[in-house]
Amino acid sequence: MRRKLTFLACAAVAASLTAGAATASNGGFTPVTPHSPNAHHTLTAYWVILAFTGAIFVLVEGLLVVFVVKYRGRRSERTREGAQVHGHTRLELIWTVIPVVILCIIGIVVFVELPGIANAPAASDPLRVTVEGHQFYWQFDYPNGARTINDLYVPVGRVVDLKVVSTDVIHSWWIPALGGKIQALPGITNHTWFQADAPGTYEGQCAELCGLYHEAMSARVIVTSAAGWAASLGAAAADLGKAEFTGACATCHGMSGQGGYGPNLANNPLLTQKAGLLSIVQNGRLRMPAVGDTWTKAQLDALAAYVKTNIYKGASSGG
């Protein structure tokens, strides 16, 4: 009896710990708090599926533990056969019909929620932004010609229509609080949307293994008031050179150009030679991809000016 109580106590503690983790939306197993209508619909479908699968898991595993304890052999011979049990038609019908009903309910909920996930609300003036995936950063192009790196600036309450593309390999755009994943595929244009319901900073991560340093390919959606959005976007676009270095170059070369996966840049006089620097950025070299193959002249000039002023420390003297 003592052994049974110890086992049941351990099982209860394990179940409570698992339940606690499962209900902790941030850092647990469930989605983060949604802040867009499509994310709300996704969360509804998630909880319905979790409720059924969780109940089935507890029922099956609970019965398994009970049967293992209750019907375990007690000093019986290994060759002894157990009692022969014949089929039970009613029971078999029950455990066939119940799963069918559960699947029907889940299917109905999913298909009811799908239109709200796929279709954006009707809007007279959605903000249309092109999301371009690169190894290993995100680039955003706005209707007014502005361009930002890794940080997407949008006004609160406005429908944002995203055109998602890639110039090199497969990436996956995903800001969990603002909706589901969408693939960024070379040669193919995908679309998704969101409508942020509160100002704040919402973080995401490329959800497709796109090569070395894939884990560093993060993104943020910075939601501001409608009145302050233009100013925030303008300030970010004006600091484009810094955004390019920290978002693209620093991934491999370090935030100060000190080196890491890529070589040390801070002591490389190439940073002061604009033509050579831009050639490598546009065409790549050895293991380095062509991170700026689609950059405009203004972008290239901004990067060259930034690294010459803020990154280059002077060539190290020989000894």
Side-chain angles (χ1 to χ4, degrees), residues 47-140:
W47 280 117
V48 170
I49 295 172
L50 180 64
F52 281 114
T53 54
I56 292 169
F57 175 81
V58 171
L59 175 64
V60 172
E61 295 303 316
L63 290 175
L64 177 62
V65 170
V66 170
F67 290 163
V68 166
V69 173
K70 184 175 181 179
Y71 297 108
R72 72 186 187 280
R74 295 181 178 84
R75 299 177 183 177
S76 58
E77 297 180 0
R78 291 182 178 273
T79 57
R80 178 186 173 188
E81 292 189 6
Q84 302 302 302
V85 179
H86 297 283
H88 192 296
T89 303
R90 181 181 298 176
L91 184 60
E92 292 173 357
L93 287 173
I94 289 173
W95 70 43
T96 300
V97 171
I98 290 178
V100 171
V101 172
I102 292 174
L103 289 176
C104 288
I105 295 173
I106 292 176
I108 291 171
V109 171
V110 168
F111 281 104
V112 166
E113 299 296 335
L114 272 179
I117 297 172
N119 303 325
S124 58
D125 185 28
L127 175 62
R128 303 187 188 278
V129 180
T130 297
V131 179
E132 192 171 280
H134 291 259
Q135 292 179 303
F136 302 96
Y137 65 94
W138 295 101
Q139 179 174 284
F140 308 107

Coordinates of all heavy atoms in Angstrom, one line a residue, residues 47-140:
W47 N -7.0 25.9 -28.4 CA -7.5 25.4 -27.1 C -8.5 24.3 -27.2 O -8.6 23.4 -26.3 CB -8.1 26.6 -26.3 CG -7.1 27.5 -25.7 CD1 -6.8 28.8 -25.9 CD2 -6.2 27.1 -24.6 NE1 -5.8 29.3 -25.1 CE2 -5.5 28.3 -24.3 CE3 -6.0 26.0 -23.9 CZ2 -4.5 28.2 -23.3 CZ3 -5.1 25.9 -22.9 CH2 -4.3 27.1 -22.6
V48 N -9.3 24.4 -28.3 CA -10.3 23.3 -28.5 C -9.6 22.0 -28.7 O -9.9 20.9 -28.1 CB -11.2 23.6 -29.7 CG1 -12.1 22.4 -30.1 CG2 -12.1 24.8 -29.4
I49 N -8.6 22.0 -29.5 CA -7.8 20.7 -29.8 C -7.1 20.3 -28.5 O -7.0 19.1 -28.2 CB -6.8 21.0 -30.9 CG1 -7.6 21.2 -32.2 CG2 -5.9 19.8 -31.1 CD1 -6.7 21.7 -33.4
L50 N -6.5 21.2 -27.8 CA -5.8 20.9 -26.6 C -6.7 20.3 -25.5 O -6.3 19.3 -24.8 CB -5.1 22.1 -26.0 CG -4.3 21.9 -24.7 CD1 -3.1 20.9 -25.0 CD2 -3.8 23.2 -24.1
A51 N -7.9 20.8 -25.4 CA -8.9 20.3 -24.5 C -9.2 18.8 -24.7 O -9.2 18.0 -23.8 CB -10.2 21.1 -24.5
F52 N -9.5 18.5 -26.0 CA -9.8 17.1 -26.3 C -8.5 16.2 -26.1 O -8.6 15.1 -25.5 CB -10.3 17.0 -27.7 CG -11.7 17.3 -27.9 CD1 -12.1 18.5 -28.6 CD2 -12.7 16.6 -27.3 CE1 -13.5 18.8 -28.7 CE2 -14.1 16.9 -27.4 CZ -14.4 18.0 -28.1
T53 N -7.4 16.6 -26.7 CA -6.2 15.7 -26.6 C -5.7 15.6 -25.2 O -5.3 14.5 -24.8 CB -5.1 16.3 -27.5 OG1 -4.8 17.7 -27.1 CG2 -5.5 16.2 -29.0
G54 N -5.9 16.7 -24.4 CA -5.4 16.6 -23.0 C -6.3 15.6 -22.2 O -5.8 14.8 -21.4
A55 N -7.6 15.7 -22.4 CA -8.6 14.8 -21.7 C -8.3 13.4 -22.1 O -8.3 12.4 -21.3 CB -10.0 15.2 -22.1
I56 N -8.1 13.1 -23.4 CA -7.8 11.7 -23.9 C -6.5 11.2 -23.3 O -6.4 10.1 -22.8 CB -7.7 11.7 -25.4 CG1 -9.1 12.0 -26.0 CG2 -7.2 10.4 -25.9 CD1 -9.1 12.2 -27.5
F57 N -5.5 12.1 -23.2 CA -4.2 11.6 -22.6 C -4.4 11.3 -21.2 O -3.9 10.2 -20.7 CB -3.2 12.8 -22.8 CG -1.9 12.5 -22.1 CD1 -0.9 11.7 -22.7 CD2 -1.6 13.0 -20.8 CE1 0.3 11.4 -22.0 CE2 -0.4 12.7 -20.2 CZ 0.5 11.9 -20.8
V58 N -5.1 12.1 -20.4 CA -5.3 11.8 -19.0 C -6.1 10.5 -18.8 O -5.7 9.7 -18.0 CB -6.0 13.0 -18.3 CG1 -6.4 12.6 -16.9 CG2 -5.1 14.2 -18.3
L59 N -7.1 10.3 -19.6 CA -8.0 9.2 -19.5 C -7.2 7.9 -19.8 O -7.2 6.9 -19.0 CB -9.2 9.3 -20.4 CG -10.1 8.0 -20.5 CD1 -10.7 7.8 -19.1 CD2 -11.1 8.2 -21.6
V60 N -6.5 7.9 -20.9 CA -5.7 6.7 -21.4 C -4.6 6.4 -20.4 O -4.4 5.2 -20.0 CB -5.2 6.9 -22.8 CG1 -4.3 5.7 -23.2 CG2 -6.4 7.0 -23.8
E61 N -3.8 7.4 -20.1 CA -2.7 7.1 -19.2 C -3.1 6.8 -17.8 O -2.5 5.9 -17.1 CB -1.7 8.3 -19.2 CG -1.1 8.7 -20.5 CD -0.3 7.5 -21.0 OE1 0.5 6.9 -20.2 OE2 -0.4 7.2 -22.2
G62 N -4.2 7.4 -17.3 CA -4.7 7.0 -16.0 C -5.2 5.6 -16.0 O -4.9 4.8 -15.0
L63 N -6.0 5.2 -17.0 CA -6.4 3.8 -17.1 C -5.2 2.8 -17.2 O -5.2 1.7 -16.6 CB -7.4 3.6 -18.2 CG -8.8 4.2 -18.1 CD1 -9.6 4.1 -19.4 CD2 -9.5 3.6 -16.9
L64 N -4.2 3.2 -17.9 CA -3.0 2.4 -18.1 C -2.4 2.1 -16.7 O -2.0 1.0 -16.4 CB -2.1 3.0 -19.1 CG -0.7 2.3 -19.3 CD1 -1.0 0.9 -19.8 CD2 0.2 3.1 -20.2
V65 N -2.2 3.2 -16.0 CA -1.6 3.0 -14.6 C -2.4 2.2 -13.7 O -1.9 1.3 -13.0 CB -1.4 4.4 -14.0 CG1 -0.9 4.3 -12.5 CG2 -0.3 5.2 -14.8
V66 N -3.8 2.4 -13.7 CA -4.7 1.6 -12.9 C -4.6 0.1 -13.3 O -4.4 -0.8 -12.4 CB -6.1 2.1 -13.0 CG1 -7.1 1.1 -12.3 CG2 -6.2 3.5 -12.4
F67 N -4.6 -0.2 -14.6 CA -4.6 -1.6 -15.0 C -3.2 -2.2 -14.7 O -3.2 -3.4 -14.3 CB -4.9 -1.7 -16.5 CG -6.3 -1.4 -16.9 CD1 -6.6 -1.1 -18.2 CD2 -7.3 -1.3 -15.9 CE1 -7.9 -0.8 -18.5 CE2 -8.6 -1.0 -16.2 CZ -8.9 -0.7 -17.5
V68 N -2.1 -1.5 -14.9 CA -0.8 -2.0 -14.6 C -0.7 -2.4 -13.1 O -0.2 -3.5 -12.7 CB 0.3 -1.0 -15.0 CG1 1.6 -1.5 -14.4 CG2 0.4 -0.9 -16.5
V69 N -1.2 -1.5 -12.2 CA -1.2 -1.8 -10.8 C -2.1 -2.9 -10.4 O -1.8 -3.8 -9.6 CB -1.4 -0.5 -10.0 CG1 -1.5 -0.8 -8.5 CG2 -0.4 0.5 -10.3
K70 N -3.3 -2.8 -10.9 CA -4.4 -3.8 -10.4 C -4.2 -5.2 -10.9 O -4.4 -6.2 -10.2 CB -5.8 -3.2 -10.8 CG -6.9 -4.1 -10.3 CD -8.2 -3.5 -10.7 CE -9.4 -4.3 -10.1 NZ -10.7 -3.7 -10.4
Y71 N -3.7 -5.3 -12.2 CA -3.7 -6.6 -12.8 C -2.2 -7.2 -13.0 O -2.0 -8.1 -13.8 CB -4.4 -6.6 -14.2 CG -5.8 -6.3 -14.0 CD1 -6.3 -5.0 -14.4 CD2 -6.7 -7.2 -13.5 CE1 -7.7 -4.7 -14.3 CE2 -8.1 -6.9 -13.4 CZ -8.5 -5.7 -13.8 OH -9.9 -5.3 -13.7
R72 N -1.3 -6.6 -12.3 CA 0.1 -7.1 -12.4 C 0.1 -8.5 -11.8 O -0.6 -8.8 -10.8 CB 1.0 -6.2 -11.7 CG 1.0 -6.1 -10.2 CD 1.9 -5.1 -9.6 NE 2.0 -5.1 -8.2 CZ 1.1 -4.7 -7.3 NH1 0.0 -4.1 -7.8 NH2 1.3 -4.8 -6.0
G73 N 1.0 -9.3 -12.3 CA 1.2 -10.7 -11.8 C 1.8 -10.7 -10.4 O 2.7 -9.9 -10.1
R74 N 1.3 -11.6 -9.6 CA 1.8 -11.7 -8.2 C 2.3 -13.2 -8.0 O 1.6 -14.1 -7.8 CB 0.7 -11.4 -7.2 CG 0.2 -10.0 -7.2 CD -0.8 -9.8 -6.1 NE -1.3 -8.4 -6.1 CZ -2.2 -7.9 -6.8 NH1 -2.8 -8.6 -7.7 NH2 -2.6 -6.6 -6.7
R75 N 3.6 -13.3 -8.2 CA 4.2 -14.6 -8.0 C 3.6 -15.7 -8.8 O 3.5 -16.9 -8.4 CB 4.2 -15.0 -6.5 CG 4.9 -14.0 -5.6 CD 4.8 -14.4 -4.2 NE 5.5 -13.4 -3.3 CZ 5.4 -13.5 -2.0 NH1 4.8 -14.5 -1.4 NH2 6.1 -12.6 -1.3
S76 N 3.1 -15.4 -10.0 CA 2.5 -16.4 -10.9 C 3.6 -16.9 -11.9 O 4.5 -16.2 -12.2 CB 1.3 -15.8 -11.6 OG 1.7 -14.7 -12.4
E77 N 3.3 -18.1 -12.4 CA 4.3 -18.7 -13.3 C 4.2 -17.9 -14.6 O 3.2 -17.4 -15.1 CB 3.9 -20.1 -13.6 CG 4.1 -21.0 -12.3 CD 3.7 -22.4 -12.6 OE1 3.3 -22.7 -13.8 OE2 3.7 -23.2 -11.7
R78 N 5.4 -17.8 -15.3 CA 5.5 -17.1 -16.5 C 4.7 -17.7 -17.7 O 4.2 -17.1 -18.6 CB 6.9 -16.9 -17.0 CG 7.7 -15.9 -16.1 CD 9.1 -15.8 -16.6 NE 9.9 -14.8 -15.8 CZ 9.9 -13.5 -15.9 NH1 9.2 -13.0 -16.9 NH2 10.6 -12.7 -15.2
T79 N 4.5 -19.0 -17.5 CA 3.8 -19.7 -18.6 C 2.3 -19.7 -18.4 O 1.5 -20.2 -19.3 CB 4.3 -21.2 -18.6 OG1 4.1 -21.8 -17.4 CG2 5.8 -21.2 -19.0
R80 N 1.8 -19.2 -17.3 CA 0.4 -19.1 -17.1 C -0.3 -18.2 -18.0 O 0.1 -17.0 -18.2 CB 0.2 -18.7 -15.6 CG -1.3 -18.6 -15.3 CD -1.5 -18.1 -13.9 NE -2.9 -17.8 -13.6 CZ -3.3 -17.2 -12.5 NH1 -2.4 -16.7 -11.6 NH2 -4.6 -17.0 -12.2
E81 N -1.4 -18.6 -18.6 CA -2.2 -17.8 -19.5 C -3.2 -17.0 -18.7 O -3.8 -17.5 -17.8 CB -2.9 -18.6 -20.6 CG -1.9 -19.3 -21.6 CD -2.7 -19.9 -22.7 OE1 -3.9 -19.7 -22.7 OE2 -2.0 -20.6 -23.5
G82 N -3.4 -15.8 -19.2 CA -4.5 -14.9 -18.6 C -5.9 -15.4 -19.0 O -6.0 -16.2 -19.9
A83 N -6.9 -14.8 -18.3 CA -8.3 -15.1 -18.6 C -8.6 -14.7 -20.1 O -8.2 -13.6 -20.5 CB -9.2 -14.4 -17.7
Q84 N -9.3 -15.5 -20.8 CA -9.6 -15.2 -22.2 C -10.9 -14.4 -22.2 O -11.9 -14.8 -21.7 CB -9.8 -16.5 -22.9 CG -8.6 -17.5 -22.9 CD -7.4 -16.8 -23.5 OE1 -7.4 -16.4 -24.7 NE2 -6.3 -16.7 -22.8
V85 N -10.8 -13.2 -22.8 CA -11.9 -12.2 -22.9 C -12.3 -12.1 -24.3 O -11.5 -11.9 -25.2 CB -11.5 -10.9 -22.3 CG1 -12.6 -9.9 -22.4 CG2 -11.0 -11.0 -20.9
H86 N -13.6 -12.3 -24.5 CA -14.2 -12.2 -25.9 C -14.6 -10.8 -26.2 O -14.7 -9.9 -25.3 CB -15.3 -13.2 -26.0 CG -14.9 -14.6 -25.9 ND1 -14.3 -15.3 -26.9 CD2 -15.0 -15.5 -24.8 CE1 -14.0 -16.6 -26.5 NE2 -14.4 -16.7 -25.2
G87 N -14.9 -10.5 -27.4 CA -15.3 -9.2 -27.9 C -16.6 -8.7 -27.2 O -17.4 -9.5 -26.7
H88 N -16.7 -7.3 -27.1 CA -17.8 -6.7 -26.5 C -18.3 -5.7 -27.5 O -17.8 -4.6 -27.6 CB -17.5 -6.0 -25.2 CG -18.6 -5.6 -24.3 ND1 -19.5 -4.6 -24.8 CD2 -19.0 -6.0 -23.1 CE1 -20.4 -4.4 -23.8 NE2 -20.1 -5.2 -22.8
T89 N -19.4 -6.0 -28.2 CA -19.9 -5.2 -29.4 C -20.2 -3.8 -29.0 O -19.8 -2.8 -29.6 CB -21.1 -5.9 -30.0 OG1 -20.7 -7.2 -30.4 CG2 -21.5 -5.1 -31.2
R90 N -20.9 -3.6 -27.9 CA -21.3 -2.3 -27.4 C -20.1 -1.4 -27.1 O -20.0 -0.3 -27.5 CB -22.3 -2.4 -26.2 CG -22.7 -1.0 -25.8 CD -23.6 -1.1 -24.5 NE -24.9 -1.9 -24.9 CZ -25.8 -2.3 -24.0 NH1 -25.6 -1.9 -22.7 NH2 -26.8 -2.9 -24.4
L91 N -19.2 -2.0 -26.4 CA -18.0 -1.3 -26.0 C -17.1 -0.9 -27.2 O -16.6 0.3 -27.3 CB -17.1 -2.1 -25.1 CG -15.8 -1.4 -24.5 CD1 -16.2 -0.2 -23.7 CD2 -15.1 -2.4 -23.6
E92 N -17.0 -1.8 -28.2 CA -16.3 -1.5 -29.4 C -17.0 -0.4 -30.2 O -16.3 0.5 -30.8 CB -16.1 -2.8 -30.2 CG -15.2 -3.8 -29.6 CD -15.2 -5.1 -30.3 OE1 -15.9 -5.2 -31.3 OE2 -14.4 -6.0 -29.9
L93 N -18.3 -0.4 -30.2 CA -19.0 0.7 -30.9 C -18.8 2.0 -30.2 O -18.6 3.1 -30.9 CB -20.5 0.4 -31.0 CG -20.9 -0.7 -32.0 CD1 -22.4 -1.0 -31.8 CD2 -20.7 -0.3 -33.4
I94 N -18.8 2.0 -28.9 CA -18.6 3.3 -28.2 C -17.2 3.8 -28.5 O -17.1 5.0 -28.8 CB -18.7 3.0 -26.7 CG1 -20.2 2.7 -26.3 CG2 -18.2 4.2 -25.8 CD1 -20.4 2.3 -24.9
W95 N -16.1 3.0 -28.4 CA -14.8 3.6 -28.6 C -14.5 3.8 -30.1 O -13.4 4.4 -30.4 CB -13.7 2.8 -27.9 CG -13.4 1.4 -28.5 CD1 -13.2 1.0 -29.8 CD2 -13.1 0.3 -27.7 NE1 -12.9 -0.3 -29.9 CE2 -12.8 -0.8 -28.6 CE3 -13.0 0.0 -26.3 CZ2 -12.4 -2.0 -28.2 CZ3 -12.6 -1.3 -25.9 CH2 -12.4 -2.3 -26.8
T96 N -15.4 3.5 -31.0 CA -15.3 3.9 -32.4 C -16.1 5.2 -32.7 O -15.6 6.1 -33.3 CB -15.8 2.8 -33.3 OG1 -15.1 1.6 -33.1 CG2 -15.7 3.2 -34.8
V97 N -17.3 5.3 -32.1 CA -18.1 6.4 -32.3 C -17.6 7.7 -31.7 O -17.5 8.8 -32.3 CB -19.6 6.2 -31.9 CG1 -20.4 7.4 -31.9 CG2 -20.2 5.1 -32.7
I98 N -17.1 7.5 -30.4 CA -16.6 8.7 -29.7 C -15.5 9.4 -30.4 O -15.5 10.7 -30.6 CB -16.2 8.3 -28.2 CG1 -17.5 8.0 -27.4 CG2 -15.5 9.5 -27.6 CD1 -17.3 7.6 -26.0
P99 N -14.4 8.7 -30.9 CA -13.4 9.4 -31.6 C -13.9 10.1 -32.9 O -13.4 11.2 -33.2 CB -12.4 8.3 -32.0 CG -12.6 7.3 -30.9 CD -14.0 7.3 -30.6
V100 N -14.8 9.5 -33.6 CA -15.4 10.1 -34.8 C -16.1 11.4 -34.4 O -16.0 12.4 -35.1 CB -16.4 9.1 -35.5 CG1 -17.1 9.8 -36.6 CG2 -15.6 7.9 -36.0
V101 N -16.8 11.4 -33.3 CA -17.5 12.6 -32.9 C -16.5 13.7 -32.5 O -16.7 14.9 -32.9 CB -18.5 12.3 -31.7 CG1 -19.0 13.6 -31.1 CG2 -19.6 11.4 -32.1
I102 N -15.5 13.3 -31.8 CA -14.4 14.3 -31.4 C -13.8 14.9 -32.6 O -13.6 16.1 -32.7 CB -13.4 13.6 -30.5 CG1 -14.0 13.2 -29.2 CG2 -12.2 14.5 -30.3 CD1 -13.1 12.5 -28.3
L103 N -13.4 14.1 -33.6 CA -12.8 14.6 -34.8 C -13.8 15.5 -35.6 O -13.4 16.5 -36.2 CB -12.4 13.4 -35.7 CG -11.2 12.6 -35.3 CD1 -10.9 11.4 -36.2 CD2 -10.0 13.5 -35.2
C104 N -15.1 15.2 -35.6 CA -16.1 16.1 -36.2 C -16.1 17.4 -35.5 O -16.2 18.5 -36.2 CB -17.4 15.4 -36.2 SG -17.6 14.0 -37.4
I105 N -16.1 17.4 -34.2 CA -16.2 18.7 -33.5 C -14.9 19.5 -33.8 O -15.0 20.8 -34.0 CB -16.3 18.4 -32.0 CG1 -17.7 17.8 -31.7 CG2 -16.2 19.7 -31.2 CD1 -17.8 17.3 -30.2
I106 N -13.8 18.9 -33.7 CA -12.5 19.6 -34.0 C -12.5 20.2 -35.4 O -12.2 21.3 -35.7 CB -11.3 18.7 -33.8 CG1 -11.1 18.4 -32.3 CG2 -10.0 19.3 -34.4 CD1 -10.0 17.4 -32.0
G107 N -13.0 19.4 -36.4 CA -13.1 19.8 -37.8 C -14.0 21.0 -38.0 O -13.7 21.9 -38.7
I108 N -15.1 21.0 -37.3 CA -16.1 22.1 -37.4 C -15.5 23.4 -36.8 O -15.6 24.4 -37.5 CB -17.4 21.7 -36.7 CG1 -18.1 20.6 -37.4 CG2 -18.3 23.0 -36.5 CD1 -19.3 20.1 -36.7
V109 N -14.8 23.3 -35.7 CA -14.2 24.4 -35.1 C -13.1 25.0 -36.0 O -13.1 26.2 -36.2 CB -13.7 24.1 -33.7 CG1 -12.8 25.3 -33.1 CG2 -14.8 23.8 -32.7
V110 N -12.3 24.1 -36.5 CA -11.2 24.6 -37.3 C -11.7 25.3 -38.6 O -11.3 26.4 -39.0 CB -10.3 23.4 -37.7 CG1 -9.3 23.8 -38.8 CG2 -9.5 22.9 -36.5
F111 N -12.7 24.7 -39.2 CA -13.2 25.3 -40.4 C -14.0 26.6 -40.2 O -14.1 27.5 -41.0 CB -14.1 24.3 -41.2 CG -13.3 23.3 -42.0 CD1 -13.1 22.0 -41.6 CD2 -12.6 23.7 -43.2 CE1 -12.3 21.1 -42.3 CE2 -11.9 22.8 -43.9 CZ -11.7 21.5 -43.5
V112 N -14.6 26.7 -39.0 CA -15.3 28.0 -38.6 C -14.2 29.1 -38.4 O -14.5 30.2 -38.8 CB -16.1 27.8 -37.3 CG1 -16.6 29.1 -36.8 CG2 -17.4 26.9 -37.7
E113 N -13.1 28.7 -37.8 CA -12.1 29.7 -37.5 C -11.2 30.1 -38.7 O -10.6 31.2 -38.7 CB -11.2 29.2 -36.3 CG -11.9 28.9 -35.0 CD -12.5 30.2 -34.4 OE1 -12.0 31.3 -34.7 OE2 -13.5 30.1 -33.7
L114 N -11.1 29.2 -39.7 CA -10.2 29.4 -40.8 C -10.4 30.7 -41.5 O -9.4 31.4 -41.8 CB -10.2 28.2 -41.8 CG -9.3 27.1 -41.5 CD1 -9.5 26.0 -42.5 CD2 -7.8 27.5 -41.5
P115 N -11.6 31.1 -41.9 CA -11.8 32.4 -42.6 C -11.3 33.6 -41.8 O -10.7 34.5 -42.5 CB -13.3 32.5 -42.8 CG -13.8 31.0 -42.7 CD -12.9 30.4 -41.7
G116 N -11.4 33.6 -40.5 CA -10.9 34.7 -39.7 C -9.4 34.7 -39.7 O -8.8 35.7 -39.4
I117 N -8.7 33.5 -39.9 CA -7.3 33.5 -39.9 C -6.7 33.9 -41.3 O -5.8 34.6 -41.4 CB -6.8 32.0 -39.6 CG1 -7.2 31.7 -38.2 CG2 -5.3 31.9 -39.8 CD1 -7.0 30.2 -37.8
A118 N -7.4 33.4 -42.4 CA -6.9 33.7 -43.7 C -7.3 35.0 -44.3 O -6.5 35.6 -45.0 CB -7.4 32.6 -44.7
N119 N -8.5 35.5 -43.9 CA -9.0 36.7 -44.6 C -8.9 37.9 -43.7 O -9.3 37.9 -42.5 CB -10.5 36.5 -45.0 CG -10.7 35.3 -45.8 OD1 -9.8 35.0 -46.7 ND2 -11.8 34.6 -45.7
A120 N -8.3 39.0 -44.2 CA -8.1 40.2 -43.4 C -9.5 40.9 -43.4 O -10.3 40.8 -44.3 CB -7.1 41.1 -44.1
P121 N -9.7 41.7 -42.3 CA -10.9 42.5 -42.2 C -10.9 43.5 -43.4 O -9.9 44.0 -43.9 CB -10.8 43.2 -40.9 CG -9.8 42.4 -40.1 CD -8.9 41.8 -41.1
A122 N -12.1 43.9 -43.8 CA -12.3 44.9 -44.9 C -11.7 46.2 -44.4 O -12.0 46.7 -43.3 CB -13.7 45.1 -45.2
A123 N -10.8 46.8 -45.2 CA -10.1 48.0 -44.8 C -10.0 48.9 -46.1 O -9.6 48.4 -47.1 CB -8.7 47.7 -44.2
S124 N -10.3 50.2 -45.9 CA -10.2 51.1 -47.1 C -8.8 51.4 -47.4 O -8.4 51.8 -48.5 CB -11.0 52.4 -46.8 OG -10.5 53.0 -45.6
D125 N -7.9 51.4 -46.4 CA -6.5 51.8 -46.7 C -5.5 51.0 -45.9 O -4.9 51.4 -44.9 CB -6.3 53.3 -46.3 CG -5.0 53.8 -46.6 OD1 -4.3 53.3 -47.6 OD2 -4.5 54.7 -45.9
P126 N -5.4 49.7 -46.2 CA -4.4 48.9 -45.5 C -3.0 49.3 -45.8 O -2.7 49.9 -46.9 CB -4.6 47.5 -46.1 CG -5.2 47.7 -47.5 CD -6.0 49.0 -47.4
L127 N -2.1 49.1 -44.9 CA -0.7 49.4 -45.0 C 0.0 48.2 -45.7 O 0.0 47.1 -45.2 CB 0.0 49.6 -43.7 CG 1.5 49.9 -43.7 CD1 1.8 51.1 -44.5 CD2 2.0 50.0 -42.3
R128 N 0.5 48.4 -46.9 CA 1.1 47.3 -47.7 C 2.6 47.4 -47.6 O 3.2 48.3 -48.0 CB 0.6 47.4 -49.2 CG -0.9 47.4 -49.3 CD -1.3 47.3 -50.8 NE -2.8 47.5 -50.9 CZ -3.7 46.5 -50.7 NH1 -3.2 45.3 -50.4 NH2 -5.0 46.8 -50.9
V129 N 3.2 46.3 -47.1 CA 4.6 46.2 -46.8 C 5.2 45.0 -47.5 O 4.5 43.9 -47.4 CB 4.9 46.2 -45.3 CG1 6.4 46.2 -45.1 CG2 4.3 47.5 -44.6
T130 N 6.3 45.1 -48.1 CA 7.0 43.9 -48.6 C 8.0 43.4 -47.6 O 8.9 44.2 -47.2 CB 7.7 44.3 -50.0 OG1 6.8 44.7 -50.9 CG2 8.5 43.1 -50.5
V131 N 7.9 42.2 -47.3 CA 8.8 41.5 -46.3 C 9.8 40.6 -47.2 O 9.3 39.7 -47.8 CB 8.1 40.7 -45.3 CG1 9.0 40.0 -44.4 CG2 7.1 41.5 -44.5
E132 N 11.0 41.0 -47.1 CA 12.0 40.2 -47.9 C 13.0 39.5 -47.0 O 13.7 40.1 -46.2 CB 12.7 41.2 -48.8 CG 13.6 40.6 -49.9 CD 14.1 41.6 -50.9 OE1 13.3 42.0 -51.8 OE2 15.3 42.0 -50.8
G133 N 13.0 38.2 -47.2 CA 13.9 37.4 -46.3 C 15.3 37.2 -47.0 O 15.4 37.0 -48.2
H134 N 16.4 37.4 -46.2 CA 17.7 37.3 -46.6 C 18.5 36.4 -45.6 O 18.1 36.3 -44.4 CB 18.5 38.6 -46.7 CG 18.0 39.5 -47.8 ND1 18.6 39.7 -49.0 CD2 16.9 40.4 -47.9 CE1 18.0 40.6 -49.8 NE2 16.9 41.0 -49.1
Q135 N 19.6 35.9 -46.0 CA 20.5 35.3 -45.0 C 21.3 36.4 -44.4 O 22.2 37.0 -45.1 CB 21.4 34.2 -45.7 CG 20.6 33.0 -46.1 CD 21.5 32.0 -46.8 OE1 22.2 32.3 -47.7 NE2 21.6 30.8 -46.2
F136 N 21.1 36.8 -43.2 CA 20.2 36.3 -42.2 C 19.5 37.5 -41.5 O 19.7 37.8 -40.4 CB 20.9 35.5 -41.1 CG 21.7 34.3 -41.8 CD1 23.0 34.4 -42.1 CD2 21.0 33.2 -42.1 CE1 23.7 33.4 -42.7 CE2 21.6 32.1 -42.7 CZ 23.0 32.2 -43.0
Y137 N 18.6 38.2 -42.3 CA 17.9 39.3 -41.8 C 16.7 39.5 -42.6 O 16.5 38.9 -43.6 CB 18.8 40.6 -41.8 CG 19.1 41.0 -43.2 CD1 18.4 42.0 -43.9 CD2 20.2 40.5 -43.9 CE1 18.7 42.3 -45.2 CE2 20.5 40.8 -45.2 CZ 19.7 41.8 -45.9 OH 20.0 42.2 -47.2
W138 N 15.8 40.3 -42.0 CA 14.5 40.7 -42.7 C 14.6 42.1 -43.2 O 15.1 43.0 -42.5 CB 13.3 40.5 -41.8 CG 13.1 39.1 -41.4 CD1 13.4 38.6 -40.2 CD2 12.4 38.1 -42.1 NE1 13.0 37.3 -40.1 CE2 12.4 36.9 -41.3 CE3 11.9 38.0 -43.4 CZ2 11.8 35.7 -41.7 CZ3 11.3 36.9 -43.8 CH2 11.3 35.7 -43.0
Q139 N 14.1 42.4 -44.4 CA 14.1 43.7 -45.0 C 12.7 44.1 -45.3 O 11.9 43.3 -45.8 CB 14.9 43.8 -46.2 CG 15.0 45.1 -46.9 CD 15.9 45.1 -48.1 OE1 17.1 45.1 -47.9 NE2 15.4 45.0 -49.3
F140 N 12.3 45.3 -44.9 CA 10.9 45.8 -45.0 C 10.8 47.0 -45.9 O 11.6 48.0 -45.7 CB 10.3 46.1 -43.7 CG 10.4 45.0 -42.7 CD1 11.3 45.1 -41.6 CD2 9.7 43.8 -42.8 CE1 11.5 44.0 -40.7 CE2 9.8 42.8 -41.9 CZ 10.7 42.9 -40.9

